[in-house]
Amino acid sequence: MAEFGDAFDELAQTDNYVTAGMVLGGLAAAVVVGNLVDPRMDLPDEVYGVAVAGGAYVMGYEPVAIGGLGHTGIALADRVGVKATVENAGA
């Protein structure tokens, strides 16, 4: 069984925070791409996350790609109504 101190040692690793920041950066990049492209083309929101993920995978930034795919999942959940159901589940 893992010790409590081991868990806190893992939390102290800066690599974890860098990776989490890259995932959030991918999520934010998908929103920015959507804001730039949406006024010119009426594309589904899911496309922007896939575009960010594709670009990030090509450049070798897997955590950024995961953030882009996270945006795709959130947009798809919003489109089919699952997001509202999940958000209201605890209410």
Side-chain angles (χ1 to χ4, degrees):
M1 189 162 129
E3 295 293 323
F4 214 46
D6 295 337
F8 281 109
D9 288 343
E10 190 63 30
L11 283 174
Q13 300 295 324
T14 56
D15 291 346
N16 295 332
Y17 296 103
V18 170
T19 302
M22 290 177 73
V23 170
L24 290 174
L27 188 62
V31 173
V32 170
V33 169
N35 289 340
L36 292 172
V37 174
D38 210 33
R40 293 166 186 82
M41 293 181 267
D42 190 24
L43 297 173
D45 287 342
E46 295 87 349
V47 172
Y48 309 129
V50 171
V52 167
Y57 275 127
V58 167
M59 292 186 287
Y61 294 112
E62 187 174 341
V64 177
I66 292 170
L69 292 175
H71 178 271
T72 299
I74 292 169
L76 184 62
D78 193 27
R79 179 180 303 278
V80 297
V82 175
K83 182 179 175 187
T85 304
V86 170
E87 288 175 346
N88 294 327

